[in-house]
Amino acid sequence: MPIIMDGKELSKKIREQIKEEVKKLNKKGINPKLAVIMVGQDPASKIYIKNKSKACSEVGIKYEEFILNENIKMDELLKLIKKLNSRKDIHGILLQSPIPKKLDINKAFEEIDIAKDVDGFNPINTGKLLQNKESFIPCTPYGIIKLLEEYKIKLEGANVVILGRSNIVGKPLASCLLNKNATVTICHSKTKNIEEITSKADILISAIGKPKYVTENMVKQGAVVIDVGINRLQTGLVGDVDYEKVKNKVAYITPVPGGVGPMTIAMLLNNVVIAANNIEKI
Ligand code: NAP
């Protein structure tokens, strides 16, 4: 039987540490605060921001949300970001994706002050990560690295295959793993012979958003499988991995829910505390 990589348990441990960090900051008169912007009424985003708000309040991080009408103009969104950049009581700013297609999300990410960019999506932070310089690391890749480290999975020299090349998961994750000396291959919708590539992976990470896409014939015996996918079916949440079948073949696997998801939120809280600490140093 494989070892189940328990993201829920590890995130609990990290959140306990964050709570202590927040208390220390409070004693110095700093009250870490996260501002979340959501545009429109995407139902999944509503759940995500509710979870973020709850997680903040549990560790003592202050939280303020800005729900904008889906018809908002780009300059109004940028104006709000500028206002939040200048507010001294706000340490972290997060723009919940997706936003309506007519708005330019990359332009919005560019506007977020790099010192408050707790999601790490400002291209300056992205570039720093690529160059292995200190920066905010996007929360999902950061959470995956923490989970791999907790279970002492050797990254140096490991053959890692990532399914998915999005700016929020696949690409920054590849940078994180390269920075840890792994050999990284990224597959996407145009990749040929995916099974041939995935079945050679020591560590296979799927972030494509296709329910039960990864089947047992796609994984190597004894591999580590990380499932980032969150797919809402009528029967409930499932990942990208056909968990019941794949688990019999691998050494380590993350469940959905309870794997990568809770780690993402824990690393967001972590990044807000880093931002609050950095502001103190300025
Ligand atoms: P995304 O922006 O839609 O990107 C999906 C990626 O998968 C794209 O690069 C796409 O390739 C690739 N892809 C799609 N179908 C494929 C196929 N059949 N074979 C190979 N590659 C394929 O998605 P995302 O935002 O990265 O999210 C991916 C999944 O992770 C979603 O289920 C999302 O809900 C989940 N997620 C979970 C967390 C968490 O905390 N657990 C955080 C973020 C996202 P192209 O580039 O060629 O189109």
Side-chain angles (χ1 to χ4, degrees), residues 118-171:
V118 286
D119 248 347
F121 296 152
N122 181 304
I124 294 180
N125 278 322
T126 311
K128 283 187 174 178
L129 177 63
L130 204 62
Q131 294 182 350
N132 202 6
K133 293 198 176 125
E134 199 181 327
S135 68
F136 282 112
I137 301 172
C139 307
T140 302
Y142 198 3
I144 293 169
I145 297 291
K146 286 278 169 199
L147 202 51
L148 289 166
E149 286 176 349
E150 175 73 10
Y151 285 86
K152 306 201 168 16
I153 309 292
K154 196 167 177 238
L155 295 176
E156 188 163 312
N159 181 18
V160 185
V161 174
I162 303 171
L163 297 179
R165 58 172 165 182
S166 72
N167 288 340
I168 67 167
V169 187
K171 284 181 196 160

Side-chain angles (χ1 to χ4, degrees), residues 20-52:
E20 294 310 310
E21 289 291 317
V22 172
K23 279 185 197 154
K24 279 189 212 155
L25 281 164
N26 290 158
K27 278 189 191 140
K28 293 181 197 162
I30 300 163
N31 301 305
K33 184 170 187 176
L34 172 69
V36 170
I37 306 169
M38 177 173 141
V39 188
Q41 296 290 331
D42 178 61
S45 294
K46 275 190 191 169
I47 300 173
Y48 294 142
I49 70 165
K50 195 171 152 213
N51 291 342
K52 285 167 188 170

Side-chain angles (χ1 to χ4, degrees), residues 180-195:
K180 300 273 178 196
N181 297 321
T183 302
V184 185
T185 306
I186 306 184
C187 300
H188 47 78
S189 68
K190 308 289 184 287
T191 302
K192 290 182 184 137
N193 307 324
I194 284 204
E195 189 181 321

Side-chain angles (χ1 to χ4, degrees), residues 2-256:
I3 293 176
I4 313 297
M5 301 172 85
D6 191 341
K8 203 169 163 191
E9 199 49 43
L10 176 58
S11 89
K12 215 191 274 175
K13 231 165 57 181
I14 295 172
R15 282 184 280 129
E16 282 308 315
Q17 290 161 3
I18 292 171
K19 210 188 248 181
E20 294 310 310
E21 289 291 317
V22 172
K23 279 185 197 154
K24 279 189 212 155
L25 281 164
N26 290 158
K27 278 189 191 140
K28 293 181 197 162
I30 300 163
N31 301 305
K33 184 170 187 176
L34 172 69
V36 170
I37 306 169
M38 177 173 141
V39 188
Q41 296 290 331
D42 178 61
S45 294
K46 275 190 191 169
I47 300 173
Y48 294 142
I49 70 165
K50 195 171 152 213
N51 291 342
K52 285 167 188 170
S53 151
K54 188 165 165 267
C56 281
S57 99
E58 280 168 8
V59 298
I61 291 177
K62 294 190 179 305
Y63 176 92
E64 193 171 337
E65 69 187 22
F66 300 82
I67 314 282
L68 308 178
N69 187 289
E70 61 184 347
N71 295 320
I72 193 168
K73 300 249 163 39
M74 192 64 206
D75 60 342
E76 291 172 279
L77 175 59
L78 295 179
K79 208 166 133 194
L80 171 64
I81 295 172
K82 278 194 186 109
K83 196 170 130 198
L84 299 177
N85 283 341
S86 66
R87 269 181 56 180
K88 291 214 166 9
D89 63 322
I90 287 174
H91 304 92
I93 302 170
L94 181 152
L95 172 61
Q96 183 67 45
S97 67
I99 63 173
K101 292 236 162 12
K102 61 177 174 14
L103 300 173
D104 182 348
I105 195 159
N106 290 323
K107 200 161 177 212
F109 287 146
E110 272 173 40
E111 196 64 46
I112 296 176
D113 184 333
I114 55 165
K116 298 188 178 188
D117 177 33
V118 286
D119 248 347
F121 296 152
N122 181 304
I124 294 180
N125 278 322
T126 311
K128 283 187 174 178
L129 177 63
L130 204 62
Q131 294 182 350
N132 202 6
K133 293 198 176 125
E134 199 181 327
S135 68
F136 282 112
I137 301 172
C139 307
T140 302
Y142 198 3
I144 293 169
I145 297 291
K146 286 278 169 199
L147 202 51
L148 289 166
E149 286 176 349
E150 175 73 10
Y151 285 86
K152 306 201 168 16
I153 309 292
K154 196 167 177 238
L155 295 176
E156 188 163 312
N159 181 18
V160 185
V161 174
I162 303 171
L163 297 179
R165 58 172 165 182
S166 72
N167 288 340
I168 67 167
V169 187
K171 284 181 196 160
L173 180 58
S175 296
C176 291
L177 290 161
L178 271 178
N179 293 343
K180 300 273 178 196
N181 297 321
T183 302
V184 185
T185 306
I186 306 184
C187 300
H188 47 78
S189 68
K190 308 289 184 287
T191 302
K192 290 182 184 137
N193 307 324
I194 284 204
E195 189 181 321
E196 208 176 286
I197 300 168
T198 58
S199 57
K200 292 197 181 94
D202 302 319
I203 303 172
L204 175 61
I205 306 174
S206 184
I208 60 174
K210 297 253 183 300
K212 300 189 182 180
Y213 175 88
V214 177
T215 49
E216 67 223 275
N217 51 316
M218 293 174 75
V219 300
K220 185 167 90 172
Q221 187 82 38
V224 176
V225 173
I226 307 285
D227 192 350
V228 186
I230 301 177
N231 304 291
R232 287 169 207 282
L233 302 184
Q234 275 183 342
T235 47
L237 276 192
V238 295
D240 289 348
V241 177
D242 191 343
Y243 182 86
E244 283 309 318
K245 290 190 180 140
V246 168
K247 78 175 197 307
N248 301 318
K249 199 172 173 185
V250 299
Y252 293 85
I253 191 165
T254 59
V256 176

